Amino acid sequence: MASTGSAGFVPVMAALSTMRSSAERTEKSLAHEYLENFQKSPEAWTMTHSILSTSDATAEAKLFAATTLKGKITYDLDQLDRQNLPALRDSILDLLTRFHEGPRPIRTQLCVCLANLAIQMIEWKNVLQLVGSSLGNNCGDCLLDFLRVLPEEVTEGRKINLTEEDLAIRTKELLEDNSTQVLRLLTQYSQSSTSAASNPHLLECISSWLREIPAADVVNSPLFNAIINALSIDASFEAAVDCMCTILRDTREVDESIEIIQIIYPRLISLRAKIAEAAESEDQDTLKGYTRLFAEAGEHWVVMIARLPNEFRGLVEAILECCARDTDREAIALTFLFWYEFKQMVTLEKYKQARNLFADIFANLVDIMIKHLEYPTPDGPDETDLFDRDREREEKFREFRHQMGDVLKDCCDVITVTDCLSKAFNLIQRWISTYGSQATDAKVPHWQELEAPLFSMRAMGRMVSPEENVVLRQLIPLIVQIPNHEKLRFQAIMALGRYTDWTAQHPDFLQPQLSFIIAGFKHESKEVVKAAALAFRFFGTDCRKLLAGHVTQLHEFYESVLDDLPPASQEEVTEGVACVVSAQPIDNIYPMFKLYCDPIVKRTMSRANEARSAEDEAARLAVAGEQQSWVQATLERADANVERADYLQLLTIFIQQIQPYVSPSQENPAVKYCQEIIPVMSAIAENFTNSTPILERVCRCWRYMVLSYRTAVLPLLPTLAQQLAIGFENSRQGCFLWATDAVLREFANGAEFVDAGTSQAIYNFFEQQALSFLRIMNDLPPSDLPDVIEDFFRLLIDALIYYHTSLLPTPICSPILSAATSALTLQQEAPLTATLHFLSDFLSYGTVHPNSSSFDETSNAARITNPPDMQQCVKRLVSEQGEVLTQRILTGMMFSFPRDCFQDASGVLLTLFEIMPQQVAIWVKGTIGMLPAGTVKGGEGERLMSAVGMKLQQGEMRKVRVLLQDFTNIYRRRNVAPREGLGRLEATRFRFSW
């Protein structure tokens, strides 16, 4: 293509320079905007060639030009006449010749340009021949780069503006029809010289073409020897590993690949000696590569290993050796998936023989894993500095240990839990006999060797049956005598917390464990205290019946520790004692509920009274337990650390856990207590209308009253509904709608033990909340109300399910639909998803079969049929507001919706087409006509509407959805950011008066 002089691209160079400089943010923003507009302009075709051709431009500028050219070819090829495409192709080939030695990023971008042009230039039939002859023998790496990117770009071809049919034809022409030629070409190149055979570019090219060339063809060619030999050369090792793993992935269907596996397996096993070499030379990268190679072979051939355990034992031993020799724990994680897949296979009854033959492998794996669980030994004198102050390394190790714990669980499935626990028990016994007498409160020698089996025991806890009667009887008494070392005490307490199911079946072991855990609350380490709280929660949950007789003593303990615990631990301990209270006889539920919760209510009121001042933001948030650092600092200055507790949340936990079974004719003792605390919570809500955290916790508590006691809360309902209505109107917080939703679902039409009068009262309550929401939407833009919008439309989804016959014919439906349309201007995923789900359900009532369910069990087998009058209500509203709704959805998909909302948005469009196909097609056409000039290619809109019309005539509604999705996806890719001139497609403000 013709190029302009260097003066033509001076503004581009200046903008690029600004972006790289330390200029002001405003200047950078202007430069960024200029470059974005430049990339989409017709002038960019010649300008990019000029930049790439001149010696005055920097490498960064040339890379920008190459990247821009790639975008132009991908999205803006229609800006050129078709007769100019050969000239464009030739100019890219010239540029590739110029950059054949690099820099590689520029060369790669140019290869992508040429590949994308080849896909779209369907009249170009001799792609490989022309590229090969143009680049010549001196551009080997450049040709290999092009061959590598071609399959990648073709398989990602949905970003190219071709029809499905054209893309399928072009894929066959470029890949399938050329695969034999490419294999021959790569083979010839590999045999041309020793350096060529180990060229990483060759190996990358083979990996890429394995999408199209069968692995068997590569394995049976000289290329396979080149790949194996490349594993011995440092420069090509990584590429060779990638290539081998790609070949292995192609052998996953082992029955179809048995002949290839028979060729690959001996060559693979011959590499096993390399594992020891890499480990002894401390070459972690090489060890990691071989570990990946053997592990992926194991993953893909796991069925074959289970069928032929003797023949493939060598592979499993090699993977085990990789685990054992990985002292730095850098490679072992690559084997975890194999061990899981292998366990899944050998635990099948049909592979019982393999399970027995590999039992010793899994037994050794347990030993290896427990050894790898050990904390490192510090190099310096500070024994607490285990990771040289490297926080990231420490966090990575913690996460890594839990992954190894999963492998230990896999081993339990294969060689039994008792065998695995015995290994941990033996290691603990060995440490006690060797070092136990040397341990003091000040120093515990070699504590890492004791902590690791404790962790392994904790990790395997979920696998242990409550009936286990061999190891735990010996192991539990040892654990409760663990030395007072922070990490040992932490791990011991956490381990005990995993065996509470077992303890519930062995009550003789409860008391020493509980004493050990309660002692942990007095430990100087905060981590040990947190562990004790978590373990206590498990004991309270699983051993509630054993502890029921100690409920009064536990209250004394609860009161003594509560205010000294961090919020998360307070919740855990509260859940534990709440479970014990829930195990009380019915006549003791109310007094125990009151005994435990009255002090919490007093604490809550005390904090609320102190926080009456609007200026005391820290204290107000402390009522709700907010943990922002600045709040905490303010509280510390006020000497109020112990009052950060989320007392409202603690009340909710009691309500969640204490759910006594009571006959509908009897008074529920838990509801009786809730009646006493509702006035307190109402007062808090009325006094803190501007505090979102407090209001959310109050509403959460109210919501769980309904969820826990269901229709038994009927005596509370008038007060509760009144407080939810007043609270929402005064505070404009969505949490009140969230709580309203629970009430609506529980007392809906047809619910058990709910009379028609109560259900109608609940619907009236819902309408009151809806009116309040619409008034709020009238006062504030959607961007100020994302959470409220989400909660409202989730409430509406349930209202449609339970009250659609009452809701759809009412006048309030029109402003609700208008509000939903307005909400589609948001860009946050959660409120948009809720709105789109509502629209989908709402519009479905304009069809014969709505998205709904029924309480009528006899109708579960058939879809509900929607009566014509309900359909007409929806169709009337769509005829009034459908055009704006269609615009909002289409422009959202093209400009603003998050990616995860596309499916829901296109579903709404599909339902609109089902209701009024011809009218919606007109609205779609009108919307496309209002898009900014130049953003839709010539004839593109007409082709879309023609295809839509054809599918509508054929009754293929779902294909209409696909057409619209493809159009909006392509439009969005081509116009990444919204351009100036949206004009008539800009949203209007929601208005409501009632």
Side-chain angles (χ1 to χ4, degrees):
M1 294 187 70
S3 61
T4 62
S6 60
F9 55 76
V10 168
V12 177
M13 302 291 284
L16 286 171
S17 177
T18 301
M19 293 297 295
R20 293 195 304 269
S21 71
S22 57
E24 294 293 330
R25 185 172 182 178
T26 305
E27 292 182 46
K28 287 192 172 186
S29 178
L30 291 172
H32 185 273
E33 182 181 356
Y34 171 80
L35 292 174
E36 272 195 342
N37 292 331
F38 163 74
Q39 287 181 312
K40 298 167 187 174
S41 67
E43 293 75 22
W45 290 106
T46 54
M47 205 81 75
T48 51
H49 281 76
S50 298
I51 295 173
L52 287 165
S53 302
T54 185
S55 58
D56 298 336
T58 63
E60 290 84 355
K62 291 182 178 182
L63 179 59
F64 170 79
T67 305
T68 299
L69 183 59
K70 178 186 71 175
K72 299 298 290 181
I73 293 172
T74 304
Y75 303 121
D76 297 330
L77 200 61
D78 66 300
Q79 291 178 349
L80 302 177
D81 293 332
R82 295 298 295 186
Q83 61 264 30
N84 290 334
L85 296 187
L88 174 62
R89 175 193 63 197
D90 296 342
S91 66
I92 296 173
L93 287 168
D94 288 342
L95 289 170
L96 276 172
T97 304
R98 183 191 300 264
F99 288 98
H100 77 275
E101 293 184 350
R104 192 180 181 189
I106 298 175
R107 187 179 72 200
T108 299
Q109 291 297 316
L110 291 172
C111 287
V112 174
C113 289
L114 191 60
N116 280 327
L117 181 60
I119 297 170
Q120 297 180 80
M121 195 174 168
I122 56 180
E123 62 271 24
W124 182 14
K125 301 299 182 182
N126 61 335
V127 173
L128 294 190
Q129 294 89 335
L130 181 59
V131 173
S133 62
S134 299
L135 295 180
N137 296 329
N138 296 326
C139 304
D141 285 352
C142 186
L143 179 59
L144 288 172
D145 263 358
F146 172 74
L147 289 175
R148 173 180 60 82
V149 302
L150 182 62
E152 296 170 0
E153 294 304 309
V154 171
T155 52
E156 294 294 326
R158 282 318 307 139
K159 65 186 179 184
I160 299 294
N161 190 20
L162 288 179
T163 65
E164 293 285 353
E165 294 79 7
D166 286 344
L167 183 59
I169 294 170
R170 199 58 177 152
T171 299
K172 181 179 182 300
E173 290 176 348
L174 292 175
L175 300 186
E176 185 179 338
D177 295 350
N178 284 319
S179 60
T180 303
Q181 180 185 350
V182 169
L183 180 62
R184 183 170 61 250
L185 179 64
L186 296 179
T187 302
Q188 291 171 353
Y189 177 82
S190 70
Q191 295 174 327
S192 63
S193 68
T194 304
S195 60
S198 61
N199 187 343
H201 299 308
L202 169 67
L203 299 168
E204 292 169 358
C205 191
I206 296 171
S207 298
S208 182
W209 273 88
L210 278 165
R211 291 175 170 86
E212 192 61 40
I213 300 174
D217 292 353
V218 174
V219 171
N220 288 311
S221 75
L223 288 176
F224 189 57
N225 281 331
I227 296 167
I228 294 293
N229 294 334
L231 290 167
S232 302
I233 301 172
D234 290 344
S236 58
F237 177 75
E238 186 176 347
V241 170
D242 286 339
C243 192
M244 276 294 292
C245 289
T246 305
I247 292 173
L248 291 171
R249 277 195 291 275
D250 210 28
T251 64
R252 282 173 294 191
E253 300 296 332
V254 293
D255 291 325
E256 300 173 7
S257 308
I258 184 66
E259 294 180 0
I260 315 172
I261 294 173
Q262 289 173 343
I263 297 172
I264 297 174
Y265 183 64
R267 303 295 300 272
L268 185 64
I269 287 300
S270 69
L271 299 170
R272 182 176 172 183
K274 301 285 188 180
I275 300 171
E277 291 178 16
E280 289 166 5
S281 63
E282 298 183 353
D283 186 347
Q284 279 299 313
D285 290 338
T286 300
L287 178 60
K288 196 170 183 178
Y290 281 115
T291 301
R292 179 188 170 200
L293 198 56
F294 286 110
E296 290 207 20
E299 290 169 26
H300 302 314
W301 298 346
V302 67
V303 176
M304 192 67 74
I305 299 171
R307 289 179 185 171
L308 303 169
N310 292 316
E311 288 83 348
F312 284 89
R313 183 180 175 88
L315 176 58
V316 182
E317 289 176 344
I319 299 171
L320 185 71
E321 183 180 354
C322 290
C323 295
R325 291 186 179 275
D326 183 25
T327 54
D328 289 343
R329 308 181 186 92
E330 292 290 335
I332 191 173
L334 297 170
T335 70
F336 292 165
L337 179 58
F338 163 72
W339 295 120
Y340 171 76
E341 297 284 358
F342 192 33
K343 178 266 296 187
Q344 291 287 85
M345 197 60 60
V346 299
T347 50
L348 296 175
E349 185 62 31
K350 65 188 293 186
Y351 297 125
K352 188 174 181 180
Q353 180 190 4
R355 178 177 182 173
N356 295 332
L357 287 172
F358 286 114
D360 62 319
I361 295 281
F362 279 93
N364 289 333
L365 182 61
V366 174
D367 295 332
I368 292 168
M369 289 295 158
I370 294 179
K371 185 63 180 174
H372 281 312
L373 286 172
E374 291 183 10
Y375 271 98
T377 302
D379 297 327
D382 185 359
E383 294 190 1
T384 62
D385 185 14
L386 304 175
F387 297 93
D388 297 328
R389 304 182 187 278
D390 188 339
R391 185 70 176 173
E392 182 179 350
R393 182 179 159 212
E394 182 177 0
E395 290 301 320
K396 183 179 178 182
F397 177 71
R398 289 176 186 271
E399 181 183 352
F400 175 66
R401 295 181 103 205
H402 289 287
Q403 293 174 341
M404 286 193 288
D406 292 336
V407 177
L408 288 172
K409 295 184 184 75
D410 294 335
C411 295
C412 290
D413 278 334
V414 178
I415 61 172
T416 77
V417 174
T418 299
D419 288 346
C420 293
L421 274 180
S422 295
K423 288 180 174 291
F425 173 60
N426 293 335
L427 290 170
I428 293 171
Q429 267 193 324
R430 185 190 307 167
W431 186 92
I432 291 174
S433 62
T434 307
Y435 304 112
S437 60
Q438 305 172 32
T440 66
D441 287 344
K443 184 175 178 61
V444 179
H446 301 281
W447 60 267
Q448 292 92 336
E449 296 177 21
L450 176 58
E451 194 270 351
L454 284 173
F455 182 93
S456 72
M457 180 190 166
R458 169 189 165 193
M460 293 184 284
R462 184 168 58 85
M463 310 300 294
V464 180
S465 166
E467 284 75 38
E468 202 285 326
N469 230 8
V470 178
V471 181
L472 288 180
R473 286 183 170 275
Q474 306 172 68
L475 190 51
I476 296 294
L478 291 181
I479 292 177
V480 297
Q481 300 177 48
I482 289 297
N484 188 26
H485 181 281
E486 178 188 0
K487 292 196 180 298
L488 294 178
R489 185 59 62 95
F490 172 85
Q491 214 55 256
I493 290 174
M494 293 293 285
L496 293 177
R498 289 297 178 94
Y499 291 87
T500 49
D501 274 342
W502 183 88
T503 303
Q505 303 294 323
H506 300 80
D508 294 345
F509 292 84
L510 174 61
Q511 189 57 51
Q513 292 184 74
L514 199 58
S515 298
F516 185 75
I517 288 169
I518 289 176
F521 285 92
K522 299 178 182 177
H523 201 279
E524 60 186 12
S525 167
K526 292 181 180 179
E527 293 301 315
V528 173
V529 173
K530 291 178 182 177
L534 181 60
F536 183 86
R537 169 194 166 197
F538 294 134
F539 271 92
T541 301
D542 296 330
C543 303
R544 64 182 74 188
K545 292 182 179 178
L546 298 179
L547 295 170
H550 304 280
V551 66
T552 306
Q553 296 95 310
L554 285 176
H555 174 255
E556 295 175 3
F557 157 74
Y558 181 63
E559 281 294 306
S560 69
V561 301
L562 183 63
D563 290 332
D564 296 326
L565 295 174
S569 296
Q570 285 181 331
E571 293 179 13
E572 288 160 354
V573 174
T574 298
E575 185 174 339
V577 295
C579 289
V580 177
V581 172
S582 73
Q584 299 300 302
I586 289 294
D587 57 357
N588 203 32
I589 290 284
Y590 172 75
M592 288 301 104
F593 207 153
K594 188 174 182 65
L595 175 68
Y596 275 84
C597 289
D598 273 0
I600 297 175
V601 173
K602 289 178 181 177
R603 288 181 175 93
T604 304
M605 289 305 297
S606 175
R607 283 304 293 140
N609 289 333
E610 293 174 13
R612 284 292 180 87
S613 170
E615 297 178 359
D616 192 359
E617 179 68 9
R620 290 195 292 113
L621 289 173
V623 176
E626 285 295 280
Q627 292 302 298
Q628 292 98 325
S629 58
W630 67 270
V631 172
Q632 184 173 345
T634 305
L635 289 169
E636 287 172 351
R637 289 196 298 271
D639 194 23
N641 260 334
V642 296
E643 294 175 315
R644 289 179 297 159
D646 188 351
Y647 297 124
L648 293 170
Q649 173 64 9
L650 302 187
L651 288 173
T652 303
I653 291 171
F654 276 102
I655 291 167
Q656 286 175 283
Q657 299 301 325
I658 304 174
Q659 300 182 27
Y661 175 76
V662 180
S663 168
S665 60
Q666 293 180 292
E667 182 183 37
N668 189 309
V671 174
K672 178 182 178 182
Y673 183 73
C674 289
Q675 281 182 296
E676 296 181 8
I677 64 174
I678 275 192
V680 175
M681 307 193 78
S682 299
I684 292 173
E686 290 171 4
N687 282 282
F688 295 95
T689 54
N690 295 323
S691 177
T692 301
I694 291 177
L695 295 178
E696 285 180 346
R697 283 153 178 78
V698 170
C699 289
R700 190 171 190 270
C701 191
W702 286 342
R703 180 172 181 268
Y704 273 101
M705 287 181 187
V706 178
L707 296 179
S708 295
Y709 309 125
R710 307 182 71 86
T711 53
V713 301
L714 191 58
L716 311 181
L717 207 53
T719 303
L720 198 55
Q722 181 182 16
Q723 291 302 319
L724 290 173
I726 294 172
F728 180 53
E729 189 170 355
N730 292 339
S731 70
R732 299 184 171 186
Q733 295 292 331
C735 54
F736 289 95
L737 299 177
W738 182 51
T740 299
D741 196 11
V743 175
L744 183 142
R745 285 199 307 269
E746 194 57 46
F747 293 92
N749 280 324
E752 192 177 13
F753 306 124
V754 178
D755 60 68
T758 301
S759 291
Q760 183 58 43
I762 294 301
Y763 176 75
N764 295 338
F765 165 51
F766 155 74
E767 270 206 350
Q768 183 182 356
Q769 297 290 69
L771 287 170
S772 296
F773 169 80
L774 294 171
R775 293 188 186 102
I776 294 170
M777 276 284 284
N778 182 68
D779 296 339
L780 297 171
S783 57
D784 289 354
L785 302 165
D787 295 336
V788 182
I789 287 172
E790 178 186 358
D791 289 323
F792 178 68
F793 286 109
R794 294 203 184 282
L795 170 63
L796 270 173
I797 290 170
D798 283 332
L800 279 174
I801 292 174
Y802 301 118
Y803 290 104
H804 54 274
T805 55
S806 300
L807 175 60
L808 292 176
T810 59
I812 199 174
C813 258
S814 180
I816 284 176
L817 182 58
S818 179
T821 304
S822 181
L824 294 177
T825 58
L826 291 170
Q827 297 185 22
Q828 296 99 317
E829 183 177 332
L832 273 175
T833 299
T835 306
L836 290 167
H837 285 179
F838 160 72
L839 286 169
S840 177
D841 288 354
F842 172 79
L843 293 172
S844 73
Y845 281 94
T847 66
V848 177
H849 299 295
N851 304 337
S852 188
S853 58
S854 172
F855 283 110
D856 183 3
E857 296 180 0
T858 62
S859 65
N860 284 344
R863 294 183 65 184
I864 294 173
T865 301
N866 194 28
D869 58 328
M870 291 293 104
Q871 296 179 45
Q872 196 57 42
C873 290
V874 175
K875 289 179 179 179
R876 176 178 54 79
L877 290 171
V878 170
S879 65
E880 294 171 359
Q881 302 186 38
E883 183 173 11
V884 178
L885 178 59
T886 302
Q887 289 178 5
R888 290 271 56 77
I889 293 174
L890 277 174
T891 52
M893 292 175 69
M894 287 186 281
F895 292 104
S896 60
F897 286 174
R899 178 66 55 183
D900 289 344
C901 292
F902 278 28
Q903 195 73 9
D904 291 326
S906 63
V908 173
L909 280 176
L910 176 62
T911 310
L912 281 169
F913 270 107
E914 290 176 357
I915 296 173
M916 302 177 127
Q918 301 304 325
Q919 187 60 52
V920 175
I922 294 172
W923 293 337
V924 170
K925 182 178 181 180
T927 302
I928 294 172
M930 288 188 284
L931 290 169
T935 60
V936 179
K937 296 181 179 181
E940 192 174 11
E942 290 77 8
R943 287 194 299 272
L944 170 67
M945 295 316 302
S946 175
V948 167
M950 184 183 302
K951 299 303 178 187
L952 288 176
Q953 289 178 358
Q954 297 169 352
E956 299 183 36
M957 293 295 179
R958 295 199 175 275
K959 291 191 176 179
V960 173
R961 178 182 189 175
V962 172
L963 288 170
L964 292 172
Q965 279 182 321
D966 286 348
F967 174 81
T968 54
N969 282 335
I970 291 170
Y971 184 94
R972 188 163 184 153
R973 290 193 191 106
R974 194 165 57 232
N975 306 278
V976 177
R979 300 185 180 186
E980 293 294 328
L982 284 177
R984 290 168 293 168
L985 292 179
E986 293 177 356
T988 56
R989 177 74 182 272
F990 173 78
R991 297 296 179 192
F992 173 72
S993 60
W994 197 267

